[in-house]
Amino acid sequence: MTDNAPKNSLTLLGLGDMGTALARTWLAAGHRLTVWNRTAAKAAAPAAEGAVVAASPAEAVAANGLVVICLLDDATVGSALDGVDLTGKDLVNLTTGTPAEGRARAAWAEERGARFVDGGIMATPTMIGVPEAGGYVFYSGSRALFDTHRATLEVPAGARFVGEDPGHAALHDVALLSAMYGMFAGISHAYALIEGEDIAPKDLAPLLSEWLGAMGFFVGNAAERLTSRDFTTGVVSSLAMQTAASGTLLRTAEQQGVSAELISPYLDLMRRRLTADPAAHGGEDTAGAITLLKR
Ligand code: NDP
């Protein structure tokens, strides 16, 4: 930081649902906060809690060395900060973006004389400032910036630094969210299967949770096999067996009048791995199918 502002003084650009939650926690923790939002009315609540309201992004950025950005998307970050003097600033971008956007935004910041860290928020606004909710933020980019401001960044949620590549926070974020949507797809299919039957969703719910918890072993199992490239040792549920059994899943969906659109892509991937070379892949763990995904 190049300014003389106190260490717990920062600027926040963006007071949407997430920005408002962030602002509240920094103010509650006694930080001196300057805020800016396109729609000025949203600054009323943080102002009532002690925030200084800036009239423009330039005014907000000028107020502090640490500038946290939580806007809609990367294009919005570019337009909000267009022409703003960022020399000597420490930018922490919590706006969701792709790894490529994170890297490009880091280069953009460096060209303007700023240090940069990108962030991926693994929390909803209601989890911000609630440590027991378990939310956290992935950070990547300038380690020096992260170390300087770590205490401030840890106020709203846990802070996990995942490397100096500014694209890696977004990559971790998207990897976890992608896994989440795969899980949502499976859960959605399971509930659709029982619809119209004499099985209450609330009765299936604990069984589903328990089963998904038990199947969570696949996370570590796949990591080990991808590292060793050994997809066959110790396999107890082979790809050949699982592919044969997948016909039952598809026929049951058909009989229940349920579209298989959410589960068939994964079953197709297993089948593709098996049919490429049944002798080589039939005894594999399903983790072997991951190798087909990289284009
Ligand atoms: P909101 O839609 O509630 O807020 C969007 C923010 O971006 C507002 O401050 C809005 O200003 C501003 N904005 C939008 N367009 C423009 C523009 N053209 N020029 C200037 N400002 C603009 O989103 P959230 O606050 O929920 O999310 C903010 C970021 O946090 C996003 O990148 C989101 O992906 C990420 N995030 C959100 C989570 C969530 O659960 N909400 C979870 C994890 C990450 P205005 O008020 O004027 O419209």
Side-chain angles (χ1 to χ4, degrees), residues 118-122 136-140 160 162 168-169 172-173 176:
D118 203 48
I121 305 174
M122 304 310 298
Y136 62 88
V137 180
F138 286 122
Y139 291 97
S140 71
R160 301 190 187 185
V162 289
H168 279 186
H172 280 74
D173 183 352
L176 268 57

Side-chain angles (χ1 to χ4, degrees), residues 13-20 36-40 42 70-73 76 79-80 94-97 120-125 173:
L13 304 179
L15 293 169
D17 292 335
M18 185 55 81
T20 298
W36 171 82
N37 194 60
R38 177 182 62 173
T39 305
K42 289 189 192 165
C70 190
L71 293 167
L72 185 64
D73 55 21
T76 307
S79 63
L94 300 185
T95 306
T96 301
I121 305 174
M122 304 310 298
T124 60
D173 183 352

Side-chain angles (χ1 to χ4, degrees), residues 43-295:
E49 291 166 37
V52 174
V53 182
S56 67
E59 189 181 309
V61 168
N64 289 295
L66 174 60
V67 178
V68 177
I69 308 158
C70 190
L71 293 167
L72 185 64
D73 55 21
D74 183 67
T76 307
V77 175
S79 63
L81 290 173
D82 187 33
V84 174
D85 183 7
L86 301 177
T87 313
K89 300 297 176 180
D90 282 349
L91 302 186
V92 175
N93 183 27
L94 300 185
T95 306
T96 301
T98 66
E101 284 170 341
R103 290 176 186 131
R105 194 53 66 197
W108 169 93
E110 197 179 330
E111 280 165 21
R112 285 159 181 76
R115 293 195 297 189
F116 182 87
V117 154
D118 203 48
I121 305 174
M122 304 310 298
T124 60
T126 52
M127 294 161 77
I128 297 297
V130 184
E132 58 275 21
Y136 62 88
V137 180
F138 286 122
Y139 291 97
S140 71
S142 166
R143 173 100 228 181
L145 184 164
F146 180 76
D147 288 343
T148 303
H149 299 292
R150 183 174 197 139
T152 298
L153 297 176
E154 280 176 336
V155 169
R160 301 190 187 185
F161 190 79
V162 289
E164 301 221 75
D165 182 330
H168 279 186
L171 192 53
H172 280 74
D173 183 352
V174 171
L176 268 57
L177 290 178
S178 300
M180 176 190 80
Y181 282 120
M183 184 182 75
F184 285 0
I187 294 168
S188 301
H189 184 81
Y191 279 124
L193 284 177
I194 63 156
E195 227 173 27
E197 298 280 347
D198 191 18
I199 303 171
K202 68 173 175 43
D203 291 336
L204 189 69
L207 303 171
L208 213 43
S209 290
E210 193 185 341
W211 180 247
L212 291 175
M215 290 302 102
F217 85 92
F218 184 65
V219 175
N221 171 64
E224 275 176 32
R225 293 192 184 280
L226 287 169
T227 305
S228 66
R229 309 313 275 188
D230 176 356
F231 298 112
T232 50
T233 304
V235 171
V236 287
S237 301
S238 72
L239 185 66
M241 180 282 286
Q242 293 206 51
T243 302
S246 69
T248 305
L249 272 62
L250 295 172
R251 284 196 304 281
T252 302
E254 174 107 40
Q255 287 161 16
Q256 295 299 104
V258 170
S259 163
E261 66 193 300
L262 294 180
I263 59 159
S264 53
Y266 189 72
L267 302 182
D268 287 347
L269 187 76
M270 290 199 306
R271 188 168 297 107
R272 197 145 64 84
R273 176 72 170 173
L274 179 67
T275 53
D277 188 344
H281 303 311
E284 281 185 352
D285 184 272
T286 51
I290 298 170
T291 59
L292 293 183
L293 290 172
K294 195 83 182 176
R295 283 198 283 221

